Amino acid sequence: MRRRTFLAAVPAAALAGRAFATSRQENPNRNRPDVHGGDRIDGATWASRSAAWGLHGAAATAHPLATQAAIDILKAGGSAVDAAVCANAVLGFGEPISCGIGGDCFVMLWDPKQRKVIGLNGSGRSPRALTLAEQRKRANAKGVINLHGAVSVSVPGAVDAWWSLHQRYGKLPWKDLFQPAIRHAEDGAPIVQNVAYYVGSSYRIFTEPGAQIEEVDNFKKVWAPEGKTPREGDIFRNPGLARTYRLIAEGGGRAFYEGEIAQTIEAYFKRIGGWMTAADLAAHHSEWAEPGTINYRGVDVWGLPPNSQGFVTLQMLNMMEQFDIKAMGFQSAAAIHHSVEAKRLAFEDRARFYADPHFYKQPSEWLLSEDYARERAKLIRPDKILQTVYPGQAPSHGDTTYFTVADKDGMMISIIQSNYSGMGSGLMPDGLGFMFQNRGQLFALSDGHPNIYAPGKRPFQTIIPGFATKGGEPLLSFGVMGGDMQPQGQAQVISNLVDFELGLQEAGDSPRWHHDGGHEPTGEDLGPIGKLNLETGVPQATQKALAALGWPLAPAPGGYGGYQAIQRWPGRYAAATEMRKDGVALAY
């Protein structure tokens, strides 16, 4: 008997009609922005829950099964790295709208033995057979690389990042870390709300006329075998991914880049007219990276260097520190205005200076200097919007999942992993059960740009883990997923914690802003002022005041990222998760 890839393992009567609605489209009572959550007896009035506390370890991820798996690994004696690898494998099955072994990975962690923050760049390079001339020939009407299809695919770096981490910090056997994900992929697990929504959205995007994706049959076989994607609560299975995980579990991390998996990938791209080869995969290795740091009102905040955008957070905070944000008031128009202007200035530098350091020498020390921050902050006016922003004059010479784990030995790992936009490129190799990232879309195509496309080059990356220390001790492992929202969200979280002394969960639940506009690392111009997106929870008085300053306002539902965090206290941990996602934070 033919078995569906996903199926609802519920009584037959329930298949005919559901007892309860599972989406806003089905029930107008679920789409009421004027209705807010219930009242809490303590904590912030807008907070969705309190933080989870524990003595021995903690985990916060965007999927309940991933958090449970991480805690189980910790309880079995695994390190924070072991638990993070296990959680990421589960997320690749349960949250494929954001991550998977077809994507890249960046990490910062606190090494309790070295007593320092360690960085890892797990991003892959473009195929060596794909030339700049070919990319330009296939560019879209805006003159940038297409978001989907083989031109957008770069070598996936996630598995080698896991392997590099485990080789240095792992305690449990490598193969044990994949057993929960393999079990879920084989036995099935219910689809959670956000995944159901975004898989349906991906199906519409991948199958629309003119999508320019070489093949989508493999996606349909896994995610829509009968023409419909699963809904919230439907049980989903992915036996192809389970088999791929088994190959990696038994063969080690390099089994993804050498051998059967690599040969299958090469044959797939040859079949569809793509460019990635087994040689591209075999050449990939992660790189340990030295994080940069700035001090924000007594807290040392860390970021990874390019090709990541980690330094954007640090640049924003450096400029924000030049103003008394606390005195301006929590969720005030003044605090948001000054922070958004800092974002606009930092993002112009992002568009101009952020690229693969193997191809371009970024002036990192200058970008993170206090002198430069003061110079840029002087441009910000309290009573008007900067009409035009430019990158600084340097002295001569990257949808996503974020999760964090902490263990009994004091190791804290901040890890972010992504397929980039949505589920990725739309391309799934034959029988392997995962989708390739579309990170290669973030290259520029204009001559002279530091981020210009080249074979064997790493594209600009939006994904950034966050970390903070204080007095030489680990304080916070955190992140805010979601493209260019990531540095904007990280800066807001740090400001909420430091300037306004909010709790760990409250700092993430607080209403957010998200600014779109300015120049992109692809060379695209989104307009000088752009638009300021505000969540409905931002006070009406603040929204009116921002509009009076001239900000074009918009709500942008779903565009405010996803937050996870663990805070280290003496002898204990607090863990928080994102109310906008499906995740869970647990500690023990």
Side-chain angles (χ1 to χ4, degrees), residues 135-152:
Q135 283 282 26
R136 283 174 167 166
K137 185 173 74 175
R138 295 170 179 262
N140 63 25
K142 295 181 179 180
V144 298
I145 296 171
N146 287 308
L147 185 59
H148 302 111
V151 292
S152 69

Side-chain angles (χ1 to χ4, degrees), residues 334-358:
I336 293 176
H337 169 74
H338 284 77
S339 301
V340 175
E341 292 287 55
K343 175 268 175 185
R344 293 176 67 206
L345 290 165
F347 269 54
E348 289 301 309
D349 287 340
R350 183 187 82 144
R352 170 63 181 84
F353 298 114
Y354 285 52
D356 185 347
H358 290 286

Side-chain angles (χ1 to χ4, degrees), residues 34 44 52 71 80 128 148 209 285 381 408 460 562 581:
D34 59 320
I71 293 293
R128 294 193 176 274
H148 302 111
H285 293 278
R381 296 283 302 274
K408 60 182 176 58
F460 165 79
K581 301 290 184 180

Side-chain angles (χ1 to χ4, degrees), residues 326-473:
K326 181 177 181 178
M328 293 176 185
F330 175 62
Q331 289 290 320
S332 69
I336 293 176
H337 169 74
H338 284 77
S339 301
V340 175
E341 292 287 55
K343 175 268 175 185
R344 293 176 67 206
L345 290 165
F347 269 54
E348 289 301 309
D349 287 340
R350 183 187 82 144
R352 170 63 181 84
F353 298 114
Y354 285 52
D356 185 347
H358 290 286
F359 288 76
Y360 171 74
K361 177 64 175 174
Q362 185 207 43
S364 298
E365 185 176 346
W366 168 72
L367 286 170
L368 299 185
S369 69
E370 292 185 12
D371 288 343
Y372 181 58
R374 283 191 288 267
E375 173 189 326
R376 299 289 271 173
K378 288 177 182 177
L379 300 173
I380 299 174
R381 296 283 302 274
D383 56 344
K384 63 174 60 177
I385 300 171
L386 289 169
Q387 294 302 303
T388 307
V389 288
Y390 298 99
Q393 290 297 115
S396 52
H397 47 213
D399 284 43
T400 303
T401 198
Y402 172 83
F403 54 102
T404 176
V405 181
D407 66 25
K408 60 182 176 58
D409 298 320
M411 180 178 290
M412 300 173 69
I413 181 168
S414 178
I415 181 166
I416 196 158
Q417 207 259 299
S418 176
N419 285 353
Y420 179 45
S421 178
M423 292 188 75
S425 64
L427 300 175
M428 298 184 70
D430 298 328
L432 298 183
F434 70 87
M435 183 172 290
F436 288 106
Q437 65 184 355
N438 50 354
R439 185 67 60 179
Q441 192 268 340
L442 283 176
F443 281 114
L445 295 179
S446 52
D447 287 332
H449 196 292
N451 188 43
I452 188 172
Y453 178 86
K457 183 177 181 178
R458 296 178 300 186
F460 165 79
Q461 286 273 354
T462 57
I463 58 177
I464 52 172
F467 209 93
T469 59
K470 188 172 184 179
E473 297 290 337

Side-chain angles (χ1 to χ4, degrees), residues 1 67 155 157 189 192 396 429 447 456 471 496 518 541 553 556 583:
M1 182 175 71
T67 302
V155 171
V192 294
S396 52
D447 287 332
N496 285 340
L553 303 183

Side-chain angles (χ1 to χ4, degrees), residues 7 22 40 62 83 93 143-144 198 239 248 283 303 319 357 380 390 444 447 458 464 480 534 541 546:
L7 55 100
T22 58
R40 293 184 60 85
F93 162 73
V144 298
Y198 283 111
I248 295 169
M319 283 182 270
I380 299 174
Y390 298 99
D447 287 332
R458 296 178 300 186
I464 52 172
V480 179
L534 300 175
L546 289 167

